Amino acid sequence: MTPDTSESAAKIGTSFPLLGTFVFVLLPLLVIGGFGLGVTMIAGVSARSGSLFAQSDVRLVSTIVPRSSNDTIEPEPTPRMLAELEREAVELGFTCLSVVTPARSYTVRADEQAGCSDPDLTGFRHEIEEAGPLLVEDLITPNTWTSIGTAEPQTGELATLIAATRPATSLEASILRSAGTWAMVFASVIVLFVVTMAFVVVRAQKRIDAQARYVGRIHDRLRSFLPVAAVRDALGASTKTERLDAVILFADLRDFSGFADTNDTQDVAKLIDAFMTRTAAVVSGNCGEIDKIIGDGVLAVFRQPDAVAHAFDAALACIRACRDLERRPGVGLYRGEVVATAVGTSERADFTVLGRTVNLASRLCSLASEAEIVAPAGFADPLPEDVEEVSRETVTPRNHLLAEEVVRYRLRD
């Protein structure tokens, strides 16, 4: 029937694009967020792995440094002790190994080509005491990582510092493997999460689409059987009682009762269906609303600023559209104030227009002959070229005290 022009009604039957929102909004956010979280996690794992490697190397070196008979670190190791320490360093994969006792510093070279030298570790002492073992890049030689920490302190003296240097490639490979393992776990969780979400969203989109189609069909059915205002009321839109200026159009088939009495039921139904379908189309096409269908008659409302022109055009279009029907309509038009309100009971209510204007439009319709339009004088000015004024008369509609000058219009042959 006539379209509901309210913004909320325009969205009825329209599915929310959940899948599109997920693909174009949520998924990019998940990917970007997951990538950033993954980078942060890998950086954290790498830093933590570096700290763990430093702690491990320092503890390992603490077990192989030369010690005296009372199990304290030997401040003055013998050549044999240094040779043994060098052999242990080679087996453990160190490049250089430095020990800084309170008495002296000494360094062993597991790789003769490494160019190891005694490092100055005093600047790291405070930081090590605060944070624990450190992993420092290129401290002893280029392309190496050095683990720095403290062994157990000598009685009443500063703690012994230990610096164990490894090739950067071996240590970085170990850290990369550790970080890579966690990165794979994290990536697997993210992929599983995204796939699960995609599955849920696709299922939800199908349900939303189905529900939207169902609501759309219900809305269309409501619009087919009820006036637009009643549909709005059923949908919870604003339908409060109000007074407004409008043009009322009444159209009904002339001598329909005689046709119904002498013709088959199917023919009667076809005539009514054709009349209602065509009238509804022209009313809708001219910005009107079908308020109700009364037997073989139609009540339509035009409430736009240029409602007079729209209503007259709709009346002419109705006459043209019904030229080939076995019974043709007469049309009455009247403009004035109407009251739009809901009438009925809580079990059955309707939203409609009431008032003198509606009654007068109905009376003028009853005055119209077949294929005629009856409207107040001056209603249509100027007339279209294919419309002629048939007659002009003063009438007093039934149950109305005031006389009204009305004009009959007809399409030219």
Side-chain angles (χ1 to χ4, degrees):
M1 300 289 281
T2 181
D4 191 344
T5 56
S6 66
E7 181 180 356
S8 59
K11 298 179 180 178
I12 293 173
T14 301
S15 174
F16 177 76
L18 180 62
L19 182 58
T21 302
F22 173 76
V23 172
F24 296 107
V25 178
L26 297 180
L27 186 58
L29 290 178
L30 282 173
V31 172
I32 294 172
F35 180 77
L37 187 60
V39 170
T40 303
M41 184 201 71
I42 291 174
V45 169
S46 298
R48 181 58 180 166
S49 297
S51 176
L52 292 175
F53 277 116
Q55 294 176 19
S56 176
D57 280 352
V58 169
R59 284 196 300 268
L60 186 60
V61 173
S62 296
T63 63
I64 64 173
V65 293
R67 297 177 179 272
S68 59
S69 58
N70 59 359
D71 201 33
T72 59
I73 294 177
E74 181 62 63
E76 296 288 345
T78 63
R80 187 179 62 83
M81 292 180 177
L82 293 177
E84 182 64 21
L85 181 61
E86 182 176 335
R87 186 182 64 81
E88 294 279 359
V90 171
E91 292 180 359
L92 295 174
F94 293 121
T95 300
C96 306
L97 194 60
S98 300
V99 180
V100 181
T101 68
R104 59 163 291 190
S105 300
Y106 54 90
T107 299
V108 298
R109 297 167 179 80
D111 184 353
E112 293 297 335
Q113 298 179 350
C116 302
S117 59
D118 291 338
D120 182 8
L121 304 180
T122 56
F124 296 99
R125 184 180 293 277
H126 179 71
E127 188 175 355
I128 292 170
E129 291 174 352
E130 290 289 331
L134 304 174
L135 192 63
V136 183
E137 187 177 9
D138 298 337
L139 177 66
I140 306 298
T141 60
N143 300 319
T144 60
W145 287 86
T146 301
S147 300
I148 307 172
T150 59
E152 68 273 14
Q154 304 294 333
T155 304
E157 296 178 346
L158 294 174
T160 297
L161 295 177
I162 294 172
T165 301
R166 291 183 181 275
T169 53
S170 63
L171 189 56
E172 288 171 355
S174 298
I175 294 176
L176 184 61
R177 283 195 300 271
S178 178
T181 300
W182 286 104
M184 289 297 295
V185 172
F186 178 77
S188 300
V189 171
I190 290 295
V191 169
L192 179 62
F193 177 73
V194 170
V195 170
T196 303
M197 281 196 65
F199 176 77
V200 172
V201 167
V202 170
R203 291 290 300 274
Q205 185 68 70
K206 290 181 179 178
R207 292 290 299 274
I208 291 172
D209 291 343
Q211 292 293 332
R213 289 192 295 270
Y214 174 76
V215 171
R217 289 195 298 270
I218 294 298
H219 181 251
D220 290 341
R221 295 290 289 175
L222 284 174
R223 292 198 306 172
S224 298
F225 290 100
L226 299 174
V228 171
V231 176
R232 291 174 182 160
D233 186 46
L235 296 173
S238 175
T239 53
K240 63 182 180 180
T241 300
E242 58 180 338
R243 292 182 179 272
L244 61 138
D245 184 71
V247 176
I248 302 299
L249 180 151
F250 256 103
D252 68 6
L253 296 174
R254 306 291 87 168
D255 193 25
F256 175 75
S257 298
F259 179 85
D261 290 340
T262 59
N263 285 272
D264 183 77
T265 303
Q266 293 297 325
D267 294 333
V268 174
K270 288 179 181 179
L271 174 62
I272 284 292
D273 181 67
F275 169 62
M276 296 301 174
T277 301
R278 299 177 190 187
T279 303
V282 300
V283 168
S284 174
N286 286 278
C287 305
E289 298 177 358
I290 298 293
D291 183 82
K292 60 173 58 66
I293 296 172
I294 309 168
D296 63 321
V298 173
L299 167 60
V301 182
F302 298 81
R303 62 182 75 192
Q304 296 76 20
D306 51 353
V308 170
H310 282 305
F312 197 75
D313 289 343
L316 293 174
C318 177
I319 298 296
R320 293 191 189 97
C322 298
R323 275 177 167 173
D324 62 333
L325 298 182
E326 296 186 63
R327 292 292 185 273
R328 291 180 289 175
V331 181
L333 296 170
Y334 201 87
R335 178 183 181 179
E337 186 181 77
V338 298
V339 176
T341 186
V343 294
T345 66
S346 58
E347 289 79 18
R348 176 66 175 90
D350 192 10
F351 199 87
T352 187
V353 288
L354 305 170
R356 180 175 180 270
T357 300
V358 179
N359 295 335
L360 286 173
S362 176
R363 299 291 182 266
L364 296 186
C365 178
S366 66
L367 296 175
S369 299
E370 189 177 60
E372 277 189 355
I373 300 170
V374 178
F379 188 90
D381 188 22
L383 289 176
E385 293 183 359
D386 61 341
V387 178
E388 62 180 351
E389 182 179 316
V390 177
S391 65
R392 186 181 293 255
E393 59 188 298
T394 300
V395 299
T396 302
R398 184 165 53 89
N399 297 329
H400 289 272
L401 299 178
L402 299 178
E404 189 86 34
E405 184 180 12
V406 297
V407 180
R408 297 174 184 269
Y409 301 97
R410 183 180 290 272
L411 289 170
R412 297 183 189 275
D413 294 332

mmCIF file of all heavy atoms in Angstrom, residues 121-151:
data_model
loop_
_atom_site.group_PDB
_atom_site.id
_atom_site.type_symbol
_atom_site.label_atom_id
_atom_site.label_comp_id
_atom_site.label_asym_id
_atom_site.label_seq_id
_atom_site.Cartn_x
_atom_site.Cartn_y
_atom_site.Cartn_z
ATOM 1 N N LEU A 121 83.983 -4.016 35.204
ATOM 2 C CA LEU A 121 82.616 -4.346 35.615
ATOM 3 C C LEU A 121 82.129 -3.534 36.808
ATOM 4 O O LEU A 121 80.997 -3.714 37.261
ATOM 5 C CB LEU A 121 82.518 -5.838 35.963
ATOM 6 C CG LEU A 121 82.943 -6.817 34.862
ATOM 7 C CD1 LEU A 121 82.788 -8.255 35.372
ATOM 8 C CD2 LEU A 121 82.120 -6.611 33.615
ATOM 9 N N THR A 122 82.956 -2.647 37.314
ATOM 10 C CA THR A 122 82.582 -1.910 38.533
ATOM 11 C C THR A 122 81.335 -1.061 38.310
ATOM 12 O O THR A 122 80.537 -0.839 39.234
ATOM 13 C CB THR A 122 83.737 -1.017 38.987
ATOM 14 O OG1 THR A 122 84.109 -0.149 37.904
ATOM 15 C CG2 THR A 122 84.930 -1.861 39.385
ATOM 16 N N GLY A 123 81.138 -0.577 37.085
ATOM 17 C CA GLY A 123 79.973 0.260 36.816
ATOM 18 C C GLY A 123 78.658 -0.510 36.836
ATOM 19 O O GLY A 123 77.586 0.094 36.918
ATOM 20 N N PHE A 124 78.741 -1.842 36.753
ATOM 21 C CA PHE A 124 77.532 -2.656 36.752
ATOM 22 C C PHE A 124 77.162 -3.171 38.139
ATOM 23 O O PHE A 124 76.097 -3.751 38.309
ATOM 24 C CB PHE A 124 77.715 -3.870 35.829
ATOM 25 C CG PHE A 124 77.897 -3.516 34.386
ATOM 26 C CD1 PHE A 124 79.168 -3.474 33.827
ATOM 27 C CD2 PHE A 124 76.809 -3.216 33.589
ATOM 28 C CE1 PHE A 124 79.339 -3.158 32.494
ATOM 29 C CE2 PHE A 124 76.978 -2.903 32.250
ATOM 30 C CZ PHE A 124 78.251 -2.855 31.692
ATOM 31 N N ARG A 125 78.067 -2.972 39.108
ATOM 32 C CA ARG A 125 77.868 -3.598 40.412
ATOM 33 C C ARG A 125 76.542 -3.160 41.055
ATOM 34 O O ARG A 125 75.746 -3.991 41.514
ATOM 35 C CB ARG A 125 79.042 -3.274 41.335
ATOM 36 C CG ARG A 125 78.945 -3.975 42.695
ATOM 37 C CD ARG A 125 80.139 -3.620 43.567
ATOM 38 N NE ARG A 125 81.365 -4.176 43.020
ATOM 39 C CZ ARG A 125 81.768 -5.421 43.223
ATOM 40 N NH1 ARG A 125 81.020 -6.245 43.934
ATOM 41 N NH2 ARG A 125 82.894 -5.846 42.704
ATOM 42 N N HIS A 126 76.294 -1.847 41.068
ATOM 43 C CA HIS A 126 75.074 -1.352 41.720
ATOM 44 C C HIS A 126 73.822 -1.852 41.007
ATOM 45 O O HIS A 126 72.847 -2.275 41.655
ATOM 46 C CB HIS A 126 75.081 0.181 41.757
ATOM 47 C CG HIS A 126 73.847 0.764 42.392
ATOM 48 N ND1 HIS A 126 73.588 0.677 43.748
ATOM 49 C CD2 HIS A 126 72.785 1.426 41.838
ATOM 50 C CE1 HIS A 126 72.420 1.265 44.017
ATOM 51 N NE2 HIS A 126 71.922 1.718 42.867
ATOM 52 N N GLU A 127 73.860 -1.832 39.682
ATOM 53 C CA GLU A 127 72.694 -2.279 38.907
ATOM 54 C C GLU A 127 72.433 -3.761 39.126
ATOM 55 O O GLU A 127 71.276 -4.198 39.229
ATOM 56 C CB GLU A 127 72.915 -1.987 37.427
ATOM 57 C CG GLU A 127 71.691 -2.240 36.558
ATOM 58 C CD GLU A 127 71.904 -1.825 35.120
ATOM 59 O OE1 GLU A 127 72.971 -1.254 34.803
ATOM 60 O OE2 GLU A 127 71.005 -2.102 34.300
ATOM 61 N N ILE A 128 73.496 -4.558 39.214
ATOM 62 C CA ILE A 128 73.336 -5.995 39.438
ATOM 63 C C ILE A 128 72.749 -6.254 40.813
ATOM 64 O O ILE A 128 71.873 -7.113 40.995
ATOM 65 C CB ILE A 128 74.685 -6.715 39.268
ATOM 66 C CG1 ILE A 128 75.116 -6.650 37.794
ATOM 67 C CG2 ILE A 128 74.593 -8.161 39.722
ATOM 68 C CD1 ILE A 128 76.534 -7.126 37.568
ATOM 69 N N GLU A 129 73.225 -5.515 41.802
ATOM 70 C CA GLU A 129 72.703 -5.694 43.155
ATOM 71 C C GLU A 129 71.221 -5.329 43.241
ATOM 72 O O GLU A 129 70.474 -5.895 44.047
ATOM 73 C CB GLU A 129 73.515 -4.847 44.129
ATOM 74 C CG GLU A 129 74.945 -5.347 44.332
ATOM 75 C CD GLU A 129 75.767 -4.414 45.194
ATOM 76 O OE1 GLU A 129 75.259 -3.309 45.507
ATOM 77 O OE2 GLU A 129 76.897 -4.782 45.559
ATOM 78 N N GLU A 130 70.783 -4.366 42.381
ATOM 79 C CA GLU A 130 69.393 -3.937 42.403
ATOM 80 C C GLU A 130 68.499 -4.877 41.581
ATOM 81 O O GLU A 130 67.404 -5.246 42.020
ATOM 82 C CB GLU A 130 69.274 -2.509 41.830
ATOM 83 C CG GLU A 130 69.865 -1.433 42.717
ATOM 84 C CD GLU A 130 69.041 -1.197 43.958
ATOM 85 O OE1 GLU A 130 67.809 -1.421 43.902
ATOM 86 O OE2 GLU A 130 69.608 -0.802 44.992
ATOM 87 N N ALA A 131 68.958 -5.246 40.380
ATOM 88 C CA ALA A 131 68.087 -5.957 39.439
ATOM 89 C C ALA A 131 68.468 -7.399 39.202
ATOM 90 O O ALA A 131 67.730 -8.132 38.560
ATOM 91 C CB ALA A 131 68.055 -5.217 38.097
ATOM 92 N N GLY A 132 69.639 -7.828 39.643
ATOM 93 C CA GLY A 132 70.073 -9.183 39.378
ATOM 94 C C GLY A 132 70.942 -9.249 38.141
ATOM 95 O O GLY A 132 71.350 -8.218 37.583
ATOM 96 N N PRO A 133 71.255 -10.447 37.659
ATOM 97 C CA PRO A 133 72.150 -10.618 36.507
ATOM 98 C C PRO A 133 71.652 -9.863 35.268
ATOM 99 O O PRO A 133 70.453 -9.751 35.026
ATOM 100 C CB PRO A 133 72.152 -12.130 36.279
ATOM 101 C CG PRO A 133 71.813 -12.700 37.614
ATOM 102 C CD PRO A 133 70.864 -11.744 38.249
ATOM 103 N N LEU A 134 72.629 -9.372 34.475
ATOM 104 C CA LEU A 134 72.333 -8.602 33.277
ATOM 105 C C LEU A 134 72.889 -9.307 32.052
ATOM 106 O O LEU A 134 73.858 -10.050 32.131
ATOM 107 C CB LEU A 134 72.943 -7.198 33.360
ATOM 108 C CG LEU A 134 72.577 -6.330 34.560
ATOM 109 C CD1 LEU A 134 73.383 -5.041 34.529
ATOM 110 C CD2 LEU A 134 71.090 -6.026 34.564
ATOM 111 N N LEU A 135 72.261 -9.010 30.891
ATOM 112 C CA LEU A 135 72.763 -9.491 29.616
ATOM 113 C C LEU A 135 73.126 -8.260 28.798
ATOM 114 O O LEU A 135 72.251 -7.458 28.454
ATOM 115 C CB LEU A 135 71.702 -10.333 28.897
ATOM 116 C CG LEU A 135 72.181 -11.135 27.688
ATOM 117 C CD1 LEU A 135 73.224 -12.170 28.102
ATOM 118 C CD2 LEU A 135 71.008 -11.822 27.010
ATOM 119 N N VAL A 136 74.432 -8.094 28.480
ATOM 120 C CA VAL A 136 74.921 -6.879 27.819
ATOM 121 C C VAL A 136 75.523 -7.254 26.475
ATOM 122 O O VAL A 136 76.298 -8.211 26.372
ATOM 123 C CB VAL A 136 75.960 -6.159 28.692
ATOM 124 C CG1 VAL A 136 76.416 -4.859 28.018
ATOM 125 C CG2 VAL A 136 75.383 -5.870 30.071
ATOM 126 N N GLU A 137 75.182 -6.491 25.448
ATOM 127 C CA GLU A 137 75.662 -6.771 24.096
ATOM 128 C C GLU A 137 77.007 -6.090 23.847
ATOM 129 O O GLU A 137 77.209 -4.934 24.242
ATOM 130 C CB GLU A 137 74.625 -6.294 23.070
ATOM 131 C CG GLU A 137 74.938 -6.676 21.638
ATOM 132 C CD GLU A 137 73.851 -6.232 20.678
ATOM 133 O OE1 GLU A 137 72.950 -5.486 21.106
ATOM 134 O OE2 GLU A 137 73.907 -6.645 19.507
ATOM 135 N N ASP A 138 77.924 -6.811 23.182
ATOM 136 C CA ASP A 138 79.205 -6.270 22.717
ATOM 137 C C ASP A 138 80.039 -5.636 23.831
ATOM 138 O O ASP A 138 80.744 -4.647 23.615
ATOM 139 C CB ASP A 138 78.974 -5.220 21.618
ATOM 140 C CG ASP A 138 78.300 -5.799 20.389
ATOM 141 O OD1 ASP A 138 78.404 -7.027 20.183
ATOM 142 O OD2 ASP A 138 77.647 -5.037 19.641
ATOM 143 N N LEU A 139 79.985 -6.219 25.031
ATOM 144 C CA LEU A 139 80.767 -5.649 26.137
ATOM 145 C C LEU A 139 82.235 -6.041 26.032
ATOM 146 O O LEU A 139 83.138 -5.212 26.218
ATOM 147 C CB LEU A 139 80.189 -6.127 27.471
ATOM 148 C CG LEU A 139 80.951 -5.669 28.726
ATOM 149 C CD1 LEU A 139 80.850 -4.153 28.883
ATOM 150 C CD2 LEU A 139 80.397 -6.362 29.974
ATOM 151 N N ILE A 140 82.489 -7.301 25.718
ATOM 152 C CA ILE A 140 83.873 -7.785 25.669
ATOM 153 C C ILE A 140 84.413 -7.680 24.249
ATOM 154 O O ILE A 140 85.453 -7.067 23.995
ATOM 155 C CB ILE A 140 83.953 -9.234 26.167
ATOM 156 C CG1 ILE A 140 83.324 -9.340 27.562
ATOM 157 C CG2 ILE A 140 85.398 -9.717 26.179
ATOM 158 C CD1 ILE A 140 84.017 -8.523 28.625
ATOM 159 N N THR A 141 83.721 -8.275 23.312
ATOM 160 C CA THR A 141 84.103 -8.234 21.898
ATOM 161 C C THR A 141 82.850 -8.017 21.061
ATOM 162 O O THR A 141 81.731 -8.267 21.533
ATOM 163 C CB THR A 141 84.779 -9.549 21.459
ATOM 164 O OG1 THR A 141 83.848 -10.626 21.663
ATOM 165 C CG2 THR A 141 86.044 -9.810 22.253
ATOM 166 N N PRO A 142 82.996 -7.571 19.837
ATOM 167 C CA PRO A 142 81.820 -7.382 18.981
ATOM 168 C C PRO A 142 81.101 -8.697 18.710
ATOM 169 O O PRO A 142 81.687 -9.775 18.746
ATOM 170 C CB PRO A 142 82.413 -6.796 17.692
ATOM 171 C CG PRO A 142 83.734 -6.215 18.102
ATOM 172 C CD PRO A 142 84.253 -7.086 19.200
ATOM 173 N N ASN A 143 79.806 -8.594 18.431
ATOM 174 C CA ASN A 143 78.962 -9.737 18.087
ATOM 175 C C ASN A 143 78.906 -10.786 19.186
ATOM 176 O O ASN A 143 78.880 -11.996 18.913
ATOM 177 C CB ASN A 143 79.418 -10.389 16.772
ATOM 178 C CG ASN A 143 79.357 -9.415 15.603
ATOM 179 O OD1 ASN A 143 78.413 -8.634 15.470
ATOM 180 N ND2 ASN A 143 80.392 -9.440 14.773
ATOM 181 N N THR A 144 78.914 -10.326 20.410
ATOM 182 C CA THR A 144 78.803 -11.241 21.547
ATOM 183 C C THR A 144 77.822 -10.660 22.569
ATOM 184 O O THR A 144 77.524 -9.468 22.565
ATOM 185 C CB THR A 144 80.160 -11.446 22.236
ATOM 186 O OG1 THR A 144 80.650 -10.168 22.719
ATOM 187 C CG2 THR A 144 81.180 -12.065 21.301
ATOM 188 N N TRP A 145 77.335 -11.568 23.413
ATOM 189 C CA TRP A 145 76.502 -11.158 24.540
ATOM 190 C C TRP A 145 77.206 -11.622 25.808
ATOM 191 O O TRP A 145 77.716 -12.738 25.879
ATOM 192 C CB TRP A 145 75.119 -11.813 24.469
ATOM 193 C CG TRP A 145 74.228 -11.229 23.405
ATOM 194 C CD1 TRP A 145 74.162 -11.577 22.110
ATOM 195 C CD2 TRP A 145 73.284 -10.171 23.595
ATOM 196 N NE1 TRP A 145 73.238 -10.827 21.447
ATOM 197 C CE2 TRP A 145 72.661 -9.947 22.335
ATOM 198 C CE3 TRP A 145 72.896 -9.394 24.687
ATOM 199 C CZ2 TRP A 145 71.680 -8.984 22.139
ATOM 200 C CZ3 TRP A 145 71.910 -8.447 24.495
ATOM 201 C CH2 TRP A 145 71.317 -8.224 23.239
ATOM 202 N N THR A 146 77.212 -10.768 26.804
ATOM 203 C CA THR A 146 77.905 -11.069 28.060
ATOM 204 C C THR A 146 76.922 -11.080 29.210
ATOM 205 O O THR A 146 76.177 -10.111 29.412
ATOM 206 C CB THR A 146 79.001 -10.040 28.350
ATOM 207 O OG1 THR A 146 79.942 -10.043 27.265
ATOM 208 C CG2 THR A 146 79.736 -10.371 29.643
ATOM 209 N N SER A 147 76.911 -12.207 29.951
ATOM 210 C CA SER A 147 76.093 -12.313 31.163
ATOM 211 C C SER A 147 76.925 -11.848 32.344
ATOM 212 O O SER A 147 78.038 -12.349 32.574
ATOM 213 C CB SER A 147 75.633 -13.755 31.376
ATOM 214 O OG SER A 147 74.867 -14.203 30.281
ATOM 215 N N ILE A 148 76.400 -10.886 33.109
ATOM 216 C CA ILE A 148 77.137 -10.316 34.246
ATOM 217 C C ILE A 148 76.309 -10.512 35.500
ATOM 218 O O ILE A 148 75.102 -10.212 35.522
ATOM 219 C CB ILE A 148 77.410 -8.815 34.043
ATOM 220 C CG1 ILE A 148 78.086 -8.567 32.693
ATOM 221 C CG2 ILE A 148 78.247 -8.262 35.168
ATOM 222 C CD1 ILE A 148 78.209 -7.100 32.354
ATOM 223 N N GLY A 149 76.954 -11.026 36.540
ATOM 224 C CA GLY A 149 76.269 -11.207 37.807
ATOM 225 C C GLY A 149 77.270 -11.335 38.933
ATOM 226 O O GLY A 149 78.477 -11.156 38.744
ATOM 227 N N THR A 150 76.794 -11.657 40.114
ATOM 228 C CA THR A 150 77.659 -11.774 41.292
ATOM 229 C C THR A 150 77.617 -13.191 41.812
ATOM 230 O O THR A 150 76.572 -13.857 41.786
ATOM 231 C CB THR A 150 77.207 -10.813 42.400
ATOM 232 O OG1 THR A 150 75.847 -11.111 42.761
ATOM 233 C CG2 THR A 150 77.297 -9.361 41.946
ATOM 234 N N ALA A 151 78.785 -13.658 42.275
ATOM 235 C CA ALA A 151 78.850 -14.917 43.003
ATOM 236 C C ALA A 151 78.658 -14.602 44.480
ATOM 237 O O ALA A 151 78.460 -13.457 44.869
ATOM 238 C CB ALA A 151 80.184 -15.590 42.750
#
